[in-house]
Amino acid sequence: MATENRLNLMGDRMRGLPVAMHKTSAYVASSDRLQTVDLTSGRVRGTLHAQGVLLTSDDEGDTDAPLVVTDGGAGMVLAPFVLAERGTGTQSRTALLEVVSASAESGAKLWRMTVRLPDWAPTANSVTATAVGAGEGTAVVTVHGNTDQSVSYGIDLATHELRWTVPALWAQGVATGMVVGLLGTKDTSFMESVPAGFGLGTGKQKWQGSRKDYGLAMEAAGPSFVRLQSATGWSPGKLLRTDTGEPQALPAALTGLSCTYDEQATLVCGGPFAAAALDATSGRLLWQLKDGENGRNAPTITAVWHGRVYGKTGNGPVALDARTGKDSPTQPEAAPILVNEYGGLALTDGKLLSYPAGG
């Protein structure tokens, strides 16, 4: 089982553009609905609405991209919603997580399921639900509140039932057999967290970091690693192996850069005036590029996919080889923000445009 196009937009979980792609379809999430759009015609194939009252009035900018899950067939798209349930009598208001599954081909509803959220959720000013990833017949959805409290769930994709719950886990990545994230622990008046890994099919803890820190940030980094750093981004941080939690130092060149996996073999990192790439299996630095070095300018990276890096410079859209950092012989017509084998999506003058592969 594989997830597609979940992290090929530079930045943390495509925040600000809650869109995923599969074949010739785009899936657009907002706080209360999931739309399936045919990229060949622009026609909306299907719309699924949340069945209930939203807990908070978060706008689309606070919604994460839906998750595309394939298993050798047509596949499905998952979108989570956070709903409020009105209290009755002496019972206070509660909150629900609703997970909706749509056909990746038609956008039609496949199934829905709900889970009651912990007591902290109804009182939080902001609650975000994210479909993190899937594998081994299990989808992982994590819910995080502005009170620095979290919970993660494993959902059986065949029965649509809850397999496991891990309180205080803010899941960040799914790798082979593992879900990895930040595990919160109460200590006097503030929240601390540690990196931790849990079995994907069971929710049982496999490893935990030895040091508790305040203000940690984590991002998925391909099939073998997650990246851990301070929330300030003032250091390159380190890679942690998803299977053991073993740390690996990162070069200083990655300070201030955000990395994403090209869904093949490379982690590509970009930020202001710099770009770099790591081997996704070993973590070895492959290349780095800084503005002004060797007569080149670092692109503003918009997407990476299957060995190619897309971005913009003052000269227009560019494409680089992800393994070498060299300019590709053929430059793209536009700098896409999502790419697959069928085409790409690009933002032009505030409009989201679809380009066919090779176009």
Side-chain angles (χ1 to χ4, degrees):
M1 181 171 290
T3 60
E4 296 192 2
N5 294 307
R6 186 64 185 85
L7 288 170
N8 65 350
L9 175 67
M10 298 302 294
D12 184 21
R13 284 203 174 73
M14 299 195 257
R15 187 167 290 283
L17 186 72
V19 181
M21 285 178 65
H22 174 62
K23 295 185 178 179
T24 59
S25 294
Y27 312 97
V28 184
S30 61
S31 58
D32 67 345
R33 74 192 67 185
L34 171 67
Q35 289 186 309
T36 300
V37 180
D38 185 332
L39 293 176
T40 63
S41 66
R43 181 175 63 88
V44 177
R45 286 206 197 107
T47 301
L48 295 179
H49 292 266
Q51 287 193 333
V53 178
L54 298 180
L55 179 65
T56 60
S57 58
D58 289 345
D59 60 20
E60 189 171 295
D62 292 323
T63 302
D64 284 330
L67 176 70
V68 182
V69 183
T70 59
D71 191 12
M76 67 179 73
V77 186
L78 302 181
F81 305 106
V82 180
L83 307 179
E85 192 173 50
R86 187 185 302 274
T88 58
T90 60
Q91 179 68 45
S92 59
R93 187 175 73 150
T94 58
L96 298 175
L97 169 69
E98 180 186 47
V99 180
V100 175
S101 171
S103 165
E105 295 294 330
S106 66
K109 186 191 75 173
L110 296 177
W111 50 265
R112 296 177 187 262
M113 63 89 67
T114 58
V115 180
R116 178 161 292 183
L117 291 172
D119 291 342
W120 54 261
T123 60
N125 292 329
S126 177
V127 180
T128 301
T130 304
V132 179
E136 300 183 0
T138 302
V140 176
V141 178
T142 195
V143 180
H144 181 70
N146 66 334
T147 52
D148 280 335
Q149 291 178 297
S150 303
V151 61
S152 293
Y153 302 103
I155 299 169
D156 190 306
L157 291 173
T159 66
H160 324 143
E161 296 177 347
L162 189 64
R163 274 190 173 176
W164 50 259
T165 302
V166 180
L169 176 65
W170 190 8
Q172 300 292 308
V174 169
T176 304
M178 297 289 293
V179 54
V180 181
L182 296 171
L183 185 65
T185 57
K186 278 275 183 143
D187 186 2
T188 63
S189 61
F190 59 90
M191 287 290 293
E192 293 180 325
S193 61
V194 294
F198 296 79
L200 183 55
T202 64
K204 293 183 178 179
Q205 188 166 343
K206 300 294 186 181
W207 58 265
Q208 179 174 308
S210 59
R211 179 180 174 182
K212 301 175 183 177
D213 283 307
Y214 180 75
L216 288 177
M218 181 184 286
E219 63 181 6
S224 302
F225 299 104
V226 291
R227 183 184 179 189
L228 185 71
Q229 58 185 338
S230 70
T232 62
W234 291 338
S235 72
K238 55 191 174 183
L239 293 177
L240 302 180
R241 290 202 63 87
T242 54
D243 54 351
T244 65
E246 180 182 355
Q248 179 174 323
L250 284 171
L254 266 66
T255 301
L257 306 187
S258 180
C259 301
T260 193
Y261 179 47
D262 76 341
E263 299 183 31
Q264 191 171 67
T266 311
L267 295 173
V268 179
C269 310
F273 315 115
L278 303 172
D279 182 84
T281 301
S282 68
R284 175 175 60 90
L285 181 67
L286 298 175
W287 56 267
Q288 57 181 309
L289 174 60
K290 294 182 180 180
D291 262 2
E293 286 189 350
N294 301 316
R296 300 180 72 195
N297 292 320
T300 299
I301 297 175
T302 57
V304 301
W305 192 74
H306 283 210
R308 181 165 285 200
V309 182
Y310 298 91
K312 300 177 182 178
T313 70
N315 300 321
V318 298
L320 310 180
D321 185 292
R323 300 298 291 181
T324 67
K326 295 180 180 179
D327 285 24
S328 296
T330 303
Q331 295 304 307
E333 179 182 348
I337 53 178
L338 283 173
V339 180
N340 67 12
E341 67 272 33
Y342 291 87
L345 291 176
L347 278 173
T348 303
D349 297 329
K351 296 180 180 179
L352 191 61
L353 303 178
S354 174
Y355 291 84

